[in-house]
Each structure stands twice: as structure tokens, then as C-alpha cells.
């Protein structure tokens, strides 16, 4: 007898994946992947996967703690190797009901002192479509052991620089003709898992905001411009916004001197006829520990010098007084001898 199932494709539940507390990690941080079905994990058994495009198998089951109840996958101490794109899937019952694969979540882990820098040319966070874009990995040894990797908003996959979207020469990846699908997160990575800090790149067709690629250091000057494709001049007057609020209107550039943490936020520009640019997050970092240490060491050195001088001063003062007294005594003795000689000659 043929059994007909009334379970349609529309009835397949959807798994939802989220990351806590954040997706951008430093080595040693803790991170938890949380998988839920209809807002709950009760009664479901979960599987965890990484997603790549290196071969035809896009989903790779995690070998450790790959299944379990509770819907949580926790890494207590993140390492460089944990950088990747993750998805989850759930199942329950007999016969088994499977969910769809969940949404993807990118988890990025960097070291305390990244050994390599990511250089973007042109040096800005937003770029026009149909232009050339260069992404270069640069370390102190000028080595070629780095590969540019990215996670794009369109494909939601972790990709290395390849002929599909770019061409790698040494440690430089070149996109000959950018498209909106190139929008995403870019970084450098070695075979051993070392990584650079990540950079958000946005590609847009008409209006873009010229903003810095990397975080701005406290105390520096931040300059923002609104750029328009296929116009002359390239920079025109526009309104500038932060977190949705107008902060400066009808100007060719916005300059913020002495940047502080209060200036962090999402910025964009808007032209009344040509439209508005995408939003870019401007991040502000404090003065490096090395600079603070150097400044502290200079102050300590100065204090040591002053202390030494002050410690020696009493002895110097006493020496000067003794020399002065000796000179006066010698002067008086000489005067007495001179007077004595005069009296002797007079007699």
C-alpha cells in the first residue's frame, strides 16, 4: 500500500542561528553559537557546520561536539582556527523531521598583535561599481604567505581570492571591475591561521562616502567627502548625517578635528538630486599602549634625572660654599701679606 505524505515543503521548519556576545573576537575570547527553531530549542537535536566554497561540499560538519541538545555550541577560548562561516540544522522525531539550514554567521578571530596589515587601494571604505580595486596584505618581511579572504553580503560564503571574483599576485588581490556583490568583509590570512584585522568594503553605483578604511585614532582629524560617479568635479556639495541625524549641510567636505569616542557612529552623505551614499561605521581607537608606555617611560626618566640632580644639589652647594670660603681666605691672606710688605718697605 502506498503511503502519501501530506508534509509539504512549506511545512519544513526554519533554523535560526545567532552569535553571542559578538562575532568579532580576539584570541582567548569566549563565543557561543545559538541555534533555535521557532524561538525554542526544546525537543530538537542540533548539528553544526562550517560553510566554504573550496569544493562542491558547501557544508562541513564540525567534528567536535557536532550534535547535542540545548541548541548551544560554545568555544570557551577562541583561536585563529575558529574563524569561519557557520550554520546549524536541527532534527527531531521518528520519522525524522529536518529543518532548513539556518542563516549564516561569520565569526572572525584575530590575534593581539596582527602580524600583517590589510591595505586597500583606493584607500577608502566605499567604492564605485565597474572600477579596479586592490586589496594587499603587507608584513615586515614582504612575504607572499598571505591570502586575501572575504565574506560577502550577497553570497554569504567564506571565499579566498580566486579567478571567480579577483586575481591574486603575490599577496595582492585585484578586482578588475567591481560590482555590488563585492560588498563584504575582507582580511588577510595565512595557511597557519594567522589573520589581519578585518575591513568592511561597500560597493555602490552612484553616490559614495569617502571615509577611512581603518579606525581613526583619538586626537586625529577626520575628513569626510561625498563622491559622485561620472561627474566633474568628483566632489560636490552634500548634506552629512550621523546615525540618521543631519550634522552638516551643503558642504563639499566635513572635517572633525580632535576625534574622540563620541564621534563613533554610522555616517552617510546625501545629495538632493543624486541620492544618498551607503552608511559606513566610523570607529575610534585610543592611543596605542606603546605610545602611552613610551610617554610614561619618558616621564619616569625625567623624574629620575630630577631626583638625581636634587639629590646631588646639597653636595654641589656645599662644595661651592667651601670653594668660595677658601677663595676668600686666600684673598684675605694675600691682602695681609701685601700690607705687611708695604709696611716693611716703608720702614
Amino acid at each position: 500500500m502506498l503511503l502519501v505524505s501530506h508534509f509539504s515543503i512549506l511545512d519544513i521548519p526554519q533554523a535560526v542561528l545567532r552569535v553571542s556576545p559578538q562575532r568579532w573576537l580576539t584570541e582567548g575570547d569566549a563565543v557561543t553559537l545559538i541555534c533555535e527553531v521557532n524561538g525554542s530549542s526544546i525537543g530538537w537535536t542540533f548539528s553544526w557546520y562550517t560553510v566554504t566554497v573550496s569544493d562542491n561540499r558547501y557544508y562541513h560538519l564540525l567534528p567536535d561536539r557536532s550534535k547535542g541538545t540545548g541548541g548551544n555550541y560554545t568555544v570557551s577560548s577562541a583561536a585563529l582556527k575558529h574563524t569561519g562561516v557557520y550554520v546549524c540544522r536541527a532534527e527531531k522525531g521518528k520519522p525524522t523531521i529536518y529543518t532548513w539550514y539556518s542563516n549564516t554567521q561569520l565569526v572572525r578571530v584575530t590575534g593581539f598583535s596582527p602580524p600583517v596589515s590589510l591595505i586597500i587601494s583606493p584607500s577608502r571604505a566605499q567604492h564605485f561599481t565597474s572600477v579596479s580595486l586592490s586589496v594587499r596584505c603587507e608584513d615586515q618581511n614582504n612575504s607572499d604567505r598571505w591570502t586575501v579572504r572575504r565574506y560577502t553580503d550577497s553570497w554569504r560564503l567564506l571565499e579566498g581570492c580566486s579567478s571567480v571574483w579577483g586575481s591574486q599576485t603575490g599577496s595582492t588581490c585585484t578586482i578588475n571591475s567591481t560590482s555590488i556583490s563585492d560588498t563584504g568583509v575582507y582580511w588577510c590570512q595565512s595557511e597557519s591561521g594567522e589573520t589581519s584585522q578585518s575591513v568592511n568594503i561597500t560597493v555602490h553605483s552612484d553616490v559614495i562616502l569617502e571615509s577611512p578604511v581603518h579606525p581613526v585614532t583619538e586626537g586625529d582629524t577626520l575628513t569626510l567627502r561625498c563622491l559622485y560617479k561620472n561627474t566633474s568635479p568628483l566632489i560636490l556639495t552634500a548634506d552629512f548625517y550621523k546615525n540618521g541625524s543631519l550634522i552638516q549641510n551643503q558642504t563639499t567636505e566635513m572635517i572633525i578635528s580632535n576625534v574622540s569616542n563620541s564621534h563613533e557612529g554610522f555616517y552617510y552623505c546625501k545629495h538632493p538630486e543624486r541620492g544618498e551614499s551607503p552608511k559606513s561605521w566610523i570607529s575610534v581607537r585610543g592611543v596605542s599602549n606603546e605610545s602611552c608606555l613610551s610617554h610614561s617611560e619618558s616621564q619616569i626618566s625625567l623624574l629620575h634625572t630630577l631626583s638625581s640632580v636634587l639629590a646631588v644639589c646639597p653636595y654641589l652647594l656645599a662644595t661651592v660654599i667651601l670653594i668660595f670660603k677658601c677663595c676668600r681666605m686666600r684673598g684675605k691672606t694675600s691682602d695681609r701679606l701685601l700690607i705687611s710688605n708695604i709696611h716693611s718697605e716703608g720702614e
Side-chain angles (χ1 to χ4, degrees):
M1 181 177 178
L2 180 64
L3 296 176
V4 179
S5 175
H6 297 286
F7 190 78
S8 71
I9 192 171
L10 297 177
D11 296 324
I12 299 177
Q14 177 67 57
V16 177
L17 178 64
R18 56 190 176 92
V19 179
S20 178
Q22 60 182 356
R23 299 187 300 162
W24 314 113
L25 309 170
T26 303
E27 283 183 295
D29 289 347
V31 64
T32 299
L33 304 179
I34 303 168
C35 193
E36 295 177 327
V37 183
N38 297 326
S40 174
S41 59
I42 299 174
W44 294 93
T45 299
F46 296 88
S47 300
W48 309 89
Y49 304 81
T50 56
V51 187
T52 65
V53 291
S54 58
D55 52 40
N56 292 326
R57 292 181 59 200
Y58 294 117
Y59 300 97
H60 302 270
L61 186 66
L62 296 179
D64 55 336
R65 296 172 292 172
S66 60
K67 286 192 176 183
T69 56
N72 290 352
Y73 182 97
T74 300
V75 177
S76 58
S77 181
L80 299 177
K81 66 180 181 179
H82 292 117
T83 291
V85 179
Y86 293 83
V87 299
C88 66
R89 193 184 189 190
E91 61 184 77
K92 73 173 182 180
K94 291 184 180 179
T96 304
I97 299 174
Y98 292 94
T99 67
W100 294 110
Y101 285 104
S102 71
N103 56 299
T104 60
Q105 289 282 6
L106 169 65
V107 174
R108 280 277 289 111
V109 185
T110 58
F112 290 102
S113 298
V116 62
S117 299
L118 184 66
I119 310 298
I120 306 295
S121 182
S123 183
R124 56 177 183 249
Q126 296 185 16
H127 301 265
F128 292 117
T129 55
S130 304
V131 298
S132 177
L133 174 64
S134 172
V135 185
R136 185 174 82 256
C137 303
E138 188 175 276
D139 64 7
Q140 293 182 347
N141 300 321
N142 294 321
S143 63
D144 293 338
R145 65 190 184 97
W146 303 99
T147 300
V148 175
R149 309 201 79 185
R150 73 176 189 178
Y151 176 80
T152 56
D153 293 344
S154 56
W155 294 104
R156 302 283 180 184
L157 296 173
L158 189 63
E159 303 173 304
C161 184
S162 66
S163 58
V164 176
W165 59 274
S167 58
Q168 177 115 4
T169 303
S171 291
T172 300
C173 184
T174 302
I175 303 175
N176 292 321
S177 182
T178 55
S179 65
I180 293 177
S181 63
D182 291 315
T183 296
V185 182
Y186 290 70
W187 67 91
C188 300
Q189 187 164 323
S190 67
E191 291 184 358
S192 60
E194 296 174 293
T195 61
S196 69
Q197 299 291 349
S198 57
V199 168
N200 288 296
I201 292 178
T202 303
V203 180
H204 196 245
S205 57
D206 296 317
V207 184
I208 66 172
L209 178 71
E210 186 179 58
S211 61
V213 176
H214 299 286
V216 184
T217 303
E218 280 184 311
D220 286 354
T221 298
L222 170 64
T223 301
L224 302 176
R225 298 184 181 91
C226 210
L227 306 183
Y228 303 86
K229 191 176 183 181
N230 300 324
T231 61
S232 181
L234 187 65
I235 304 172
L236 297 178
T237 56
D239 298 333
F240 290 85
Y241 294 79
K242 175 190 174 186
N243 296 331
S245 300
L246 178 66
I247 53 177
Q248 195 165 330
N249 64 339
Q250 293 302 298
T251 181
T252 55
E253 62 182 18
M254 187 180 74
I255 300 176
I256 302 175
S257 57
N258 195 21
V259 171
S260 65
N261 286 331
S262 64
H263 293 114
E264 283 193 333
F266 284 101
Y267 289 79
Y268 67 95
C269 62
K270 184 177 182 180
H271 188 273
E273 297 175 358
R274 298 184 178 274
E276 65 182 53
S277 72
K279 297 175 178 64
S280 275
W281 173 263
I282 302 296
S283 179
V284 178
R285 65 186 172 196
V287 179
S288 67
N289 292 333
E290 292 182 0
S291 298
C292 293
L293 182 61
S294 176
H295 182 62
S296 299
E297 289 176 347
S298 299
Q299 289 182 324
I300 292 171
S301 177
L302 177 60
L303 289 174
H304 276 303
T305 303
L306 290 174
S307 300
S308 301
V309 171
L310 291 173
V312 174
C313 274
Y315 301 102
L316 290 175
L317 184 60
T319 302
V320 171
I321 292 173
L322 287 174
I323 293 173
F324 179 72
K325 286 185 174 181
C326 288
C327 290
R328 288 190 64 186
M329 290 178 65
R330 288 180 180 178
K332 289 180 179 180
T333 303
S334 299
D335 291 342
R336 288 173 182 174
L337 289 174
L338 179 59
I339 293 172
S340 177
N341 290 336
I342 293 174
H343 281 296
S344 298
E345 291 176 358
E347 294 176 352

